[in-house]
Amino acid sequence: MSLRPRRSALYLPANRDSAVAKARTLPADCIILDLEDAVQPDAKDAARDKALAAANAGGWGDRELLLRVNGLGMPWSATDFAAARAGGFAGVVVPKVDSAAMAAEAVAAAGDLPVWAMIETPRGVLAAAGIAAVPGVIALLAGMADLAKDLHARPDAARTPLLYSLSAIVLAARAAGIQAFDGVFTDIQDTAGFEAEARHGLMLGFDGKSLIHPSQVDPCNRVFSPSAEDIAEAEGLIAAYEAGLASGAGVTTFNGKMVEVLHVAEARRILALQTPA
């Protein structure tokens, strides 16, 4: 699993020229040009052309540019995958992946590009472990709006009816050694609610969050970045561990707690997720 920061993944309609141009100036780690839900059927072909032009034009800097294709079996899907392979995309986001077989089909259609599989149906949640284990799938993205509809659930602020599904996605990703991304928060006016949900996703173990508005990028990056305190503690723990090894100490402690290899591995993961100041 890559340890580069992937805190924020911003969806943009591929046919919104102004939004795509602005995205080149945003501090989002990942930009997802959307050909699926954000584009009406009669605009799919034009949106695909615009997405391909935007990818080939470059100017994305350190941002990873991905293409969300229409789902497998949809009339536009094969052409979407072909555009993804032809453009300068870093990966393909595939909606409504319901089984390991579908994930394998998506990987084959994506060619050399990695696949980010969206888990947004009851079947997808139950098959998440198999989907995550398919070679070529490098991330799972939670799609909780569609899932809540299918479940007939009425999520509260704590997302109580969705907790099993959210944790199942994280568990599947961790078992396969890939990344997991929390779903979107749709009320773009509720900044406090967004930050609370982002912190909830961090607590559950997600690596980052998918977004639907540029205003969500900065708070998302802040929540999913190691704090100065996190970094200082990680550096201190590693230093204490290495000093203990050098001195031949049988047991190393840091801040009064025993240090084991698993703590060192987590500290190194935190340091690897630092972003330039």
PDB file of all heavy atoms in Angstrom, residues 11 43 47 54 59 74 83 96 109 127 132 174 177 186 202 229-230 238:
ATOM      1  N   TYR A  11     -14.654  14.977  -6.082  1.00  0.00           N
ATOM      2  CA  TYR A  11     -15.413  14.695  -7.301  1.00  0.00           C
ATOM      3  C   TYR A  11     -15.765  16.003  -8.008  1.00  0.00           C
ATOM      4  O   TYR A  11     -16.203  16.970  -7.375  1.00  0.00           O
ATOM      5  CB  TYR A  11     -16.721  13.986  -6.970  1.00  0.00           C
ATOM      6  CG  TYR A  11     -16.586  12.559  -6.521  1.00  0.00           C
ATOM      7  CD1 TYR A  11     -16.757  12.218  -5.184  1.00  0.00           C
ATOM      8  CD2 TYR A  11     -16.331  11.537  -7.433  1.00  0.00           C
ATOM      9  CE1 TYR A  11     -16.663  10.902  -4.764  1.00  0.00           C
ATOM     10  CE2 TYR A  11     -16.240  10.213  -7.025  1.00  0.00           C
ATOM     11  CZ  TYR A  11     -16.404   9.902  -5.691  1.00  0.00           C
ATOM     12  OH  TYR A  11     -16.312   8.610  -5.279  1.00  0.00           O
ATOM     13  N   ALA A  43     -25.290  14.068 -22.120  1.00  0.00           N
ATOM     14  CA  ALA A  43     -24.044  14.828 -22.059  1.00  0.00           C
ATOM     15  C   ALA A  43     -22.826  13.934 -21.822  1.00  0.00           C
ATOM     16  O   ALA A  43     -21.711  14.444 -21.690  1.00  0.00           O
ATOM     17  CB  ALA A  43     -24.135  15.880 -20.958  1.00  0.00           C
ATOM     18  N   ALA A  47     -18.840  15.044 -22.104  1.00  0.00           N
ATOM     19  CA  ALA A  47     -18.107  15.078 -20.834  1.00  0.00           C
ATOM     20  C   ALA A  47     -16.859  14.215 -20.907  1.00  0.00           C
ATOM     21  O   ALA A  47     -15.796  14.584 -20.384  1.00  0.00           O
ATOM     22  CB  ALA A  47     -19.013  14.613 -19.706  1.00  0.00           C
ATOM     23  N   ALA A  54      -8.764  17.407 -20.513  1.00  0.00           N
ATOM     24  CA  ALA A  54      -8.212  17.942 -19.261  1.00  0.00           C
ATOM     25  C   ALA A  54      -7.042  17.100 -18.771  1.00  0.00           C
ATOM     26  O   ALA A  54      -6.047  17.626 -18.266  1.00  0.00           O
ATOM     27  CB  ALA A  54      -9.302  17.998 -18.193  1.00  0.00           C
ATOM     28  N   GLY A  59      -0.924  19.952 -16.044  1.00  0.00           N
ATOM     29  CA  GLY A  59      -1.073  21.054 -15.107  1.00  0.00           C
ATOM     30  C   GLY A  59      -1.640  20.648 -13.765  1.00  0.00           C
ATOM     31  O   GLY A  59      -2.075  21.506 -12.991  1.00  0.00           O
ATOM     32  N   MET A  74     -23.108  -0.543 -18.263  1.00  0.00           N
ATOM     33  CA  MET A  74     -23.808   0.628 -18.757  1.00  0.00           C
ATOM     34  C   MET A  74     -23.362   0.911 -20.196  1.00  0.00           C
ATOM     35  O   MET A  74     -22.263   0.550 -20.599  1.00  0.00           O
ATOM     36  CB  MET A  74     -23.538   1.835 -17.866  1.00  0.00           C
ATOM     37  CG  MET A  74     -24.034   1.671 -16.441  1.00  0.00           C
ATOM     38  SD  MET A  74     -25.835   1.497 -16.369  1.00  0.00           S
ATOM     39  CE  MET A  74     -26.352   3.171 -16.764  1.00  0.00           C
ATOM     40  N   ALA A  83     -11.152   5.761 -22.655  1.00  0.00           N
ATOM     41  CA  ALA A  83     -10.676   7.129 -22.439  1.00  0.00           C
ATOM     42  C   ALA A  83      -9.720   7.185 -21.256  1.00  0.00           C
ATOM     43  O   ALA A  83      -8.702   7.889 -21.299  1.00  0.00           O
ATOM     44  CB  ALA A  83     -11.866   8.063 -22.213  1.00  0.00           C
ATOM     45  N   LYS A  96     -20.364   1.097  -7.918  1.00  0.00           N
ATOM     46  CA  LYS A  96     -21.217  -0.058  -7.670  1.00  0.00           C
ATOM     47  C   LYS A  96     -20.558  -1.389  -8.012  1.00  0.00           C
ATOM     48  O   LYS A  96     -21.088  -2.209  -8.763  1.00  0.00           O
ATOM     49  CB  LYS A  96     -22.547   0.097  -8.415  1.00  0.00           C
ATOM     50  CG  LYS A  96     -23.382   1.262  -7.901  1.00  0.00           C
ATOM     51  CD  LYS A  96     -24.691   1.383  -8.648  1.00  0.00           C
ATOM     52  CE  LYS A  96     -25.563   2.473  -8.035  1.00  0.00           C
ATOM     53  NZ  LYS A  96     -24.956   3.830  -8.113  1.00  0.00           N
ATOM     54  N   ALA A 109     -10.594  -4.151 -17.660  1.00  0.00           N
ATOM     55  CA  ALA A 109     -10.976  -3.029 -18.515  1.00  0.00           C
ATOM     56  C   ALA A 109     -10.062  -1.829 -18.321  1.00  0.00           C
ATOM     57  O   ALA A 109      -9.859  -1.034 -19.242  1.00  0.00           O
ATOM     58  CB  ALA A 109     -12.426  -2.639 -18.232  1.00  0.00           C
ATOM     59  N   ALA A 127     -19.445  -8.286  -0.046  1.00  0.00           N
ATOM     60  CA  ALA A 127     -18.354  -8.831  -0.860  1.00  0.00           C
ATOM     61  C   ALA A 127     -17.071  -8.011  -0.748  1.00  0.00           C
ATOM     62  O   ALA A 127     -16.111  -8.262  -1.484  1.00  0.00           O
ATOM     63  CB  ALA A 127     -18.785  -8.893  -2.325  1.00  0.00           C
ATOM     64  N   ALA A 132     -11.579  -6.235  -2.390  1.00  0.00           N
ATOM     65  CA  ALA A 132     -10.303  -5.629  -2.003  1.00  0.00           C
ATOM     66  C   ALA A 132      -9.125  -6.517  -2.333  1.00  0.00           C
ATOM     67  O   ALA A 132      -8.015  -6.031  -2.573  1.00  0.00           O
ATOM     68  CB  ALA A 132     -10.318  -5.306  -0.511  1.00  0.00           C
ATOM     69  N   ARG A 174      -7.915  -3.050   4.937  1.00  0.00           N
ATOM     70  CA  ARG A 174      -6.737  -3.349   5.747  1.00  0.00           C
ATOM     71  C   ARG A 174      -6.284  -4.801   5.555  1.00  0.00           C
ATOM     72  O   ARG A 174      -5.087  -5.090   5.513  1.00  0.00           O
ATOM     73  CB  ARG A 174      -7.035  -3.091   7.223  1.00  0.00           C
ATOM     74  CG  ARG A 174      -7.318  -1.634   7.533  1.00  0.00           C
ATOM     75  CD  ARG A 174      -6.083  -0.758   7.301  1.00  0.00           C
ATOM     76  NE  ARG A 174      -6.448   0.648   7.394  1.00  0.00           N
ATOM     77  CZ  ARG A 174      -6.620   1.450   6.355  1.00  0.00           C
ATOM     78  NH1 ARG A 174      -6.441   0.998   5.128  1.00  0.00           N
ATOM     79  NH2 ARG A 174      -6.969   2.707   6.517  1.00  0.00           N
ATOM     80  N   GLY A 177      -4.365  -4.842   2.456  1.00  0.00           N
ATOM     81  CA  GLY A 177      -3.233  -3.929   2.380  1.00  0.00           C
ATOM     82  C   GLY A 177      -3.443  -2.782   1.412  1.00  0.00           C
ATOM     83  O   GLY A 177      -2.488  -2.281   0.806  1.00  0.00           O
ATOM     84  N   THR A 186     -22.987  15.609   2.099  1.00  0.00           N
ATOM     85  CA  THR A 186     -23.704  16.321   1.042  1.00  0.00           C
ATOM     86  C   THR A 186     -24.137  17.738   1.397  1.00  0.00           C
ATOM     87  O   THR A 186     -24.438  18.525   0.496  1.00  0.00           O
ATOM     88  CB  THR A 186     -24.948  15.521   0.616  1.00  0.00           C
ATOM     89  OG1 THR A 186     -25.779  15.291   1.758  1.00  0.00           O
ATOM     90  CG2 THR A 186     -24.538  14.178   0.007  1.00  0.00           C
ATOM     91  N   LEU A 202     -12.003   9.341  10.374  1.00  0.00           N
ATOM     92  CA  LEU A 202     -10.633   9.125  10.855  1.00  0.00           C
ATOM     93  C   LEU A 202     -10.626   8.139  12.014  1.00  0.00           C
ATOM     94  O   LEU A 202      -9.783   7.234  12.070  1.00  0.00           O
ATOM     95  CB  LEU A 202     -10.028  10.456  11.285  1.00  0.00           C
ATOM     96  CG  LEU A 202      -8.619  10.413  11.878  1.00  0.00           C
ATOM     97  CD1 LEU A 202      -7.595  10.049  10.809  1.00  0.00           C
ATOM     98  CD2 LEU A 202      -8.261  11.761  12.507  1.00  0.00           C
ATOM     99  N   GLU A 229       1.631  17.454  17.191  1.00  0.00           N
ATOM    100  CA  GLU A 229       1.794  16.584  18.360  1.00  0.00           C
ATOM    101  C   GLU A 229       1.979  15.127  17.932  1.00  0.00           C
ATOM    102  O   GLU A 229       2.799  14.394  18.504  1.00  0.00           O
ATOM    103  CB  GLU A 229       0.589  16.715  19.291  1.00  0.00           C
ATOM    104  CG  GLU A 229       0.461  18.062  19.969  1.00  0.00           C
ATOM    105  CD  GLU A 229      -0.090  19.147  19.040  1.00  0.00           C
ATOM    106  OE1 GLU A 229      -0.577  18.801  17.937  1.00  0.00           O
ATOM    107  OE2 GLU A 229      -0.029  20.333  19.428  1.00  0.00           O
ATOM    108  N   ASP A 230       1.202  14.694  16.928  1.00  0.00           N
ATOM    109  CA  ASP A 230       1.344  13.323  16.419  1.00  0.00           C
ATOM    110  C   ASP A 230       2.759  13.083  15.896  1.00  0.00           C
ATOM    111  O   ASP A 230       3.369  12.039  16.151  1.00  0.00           O
ATOM    112  CB  ASP A 230       0.350  13.076  15.281  1.00  0.00           C
ATOM    113  CG  ASP A 230      -1.101  13.070  15.726  1.00  0.00           C
ATOM    114  OD1 ASP A 230      -1.360  12.774  16.900  1.00  0.00           O
ATOM    115  OD2 ASP A 230      -1.970  13.358  14.870  1.00  0.00           O
ATOM    116  N   ILE A 238      10.171   6.593  17.954  1.00  0.00           N
ATOM    117  CA  ILE A 238      11.164   5.912  17.115  1.00  0.00           C
ATOM    118  C   ILE A 238      12.566   6.112  17.672  1.00  0.00           C
ATOM    119  O   ILE A 238      13.381   5.173  17.721  1.00  0.00           O
ATOM    120  CB  ILE A 238      11.067   6.421  15.666  1.00  0.00           C
ATOM    121  CG1 ILE A 238       9.744   5.967  15.034  1.00  0.00           C
ATOM    122  CG2 ILE A 238      12.249   5.926  14.835  1.00  0.00           C
ATOM    123  CD1 ILE A 238       9.443   6.618  13.702  1.00  0.00           C
TER     124      ILE A 238
END
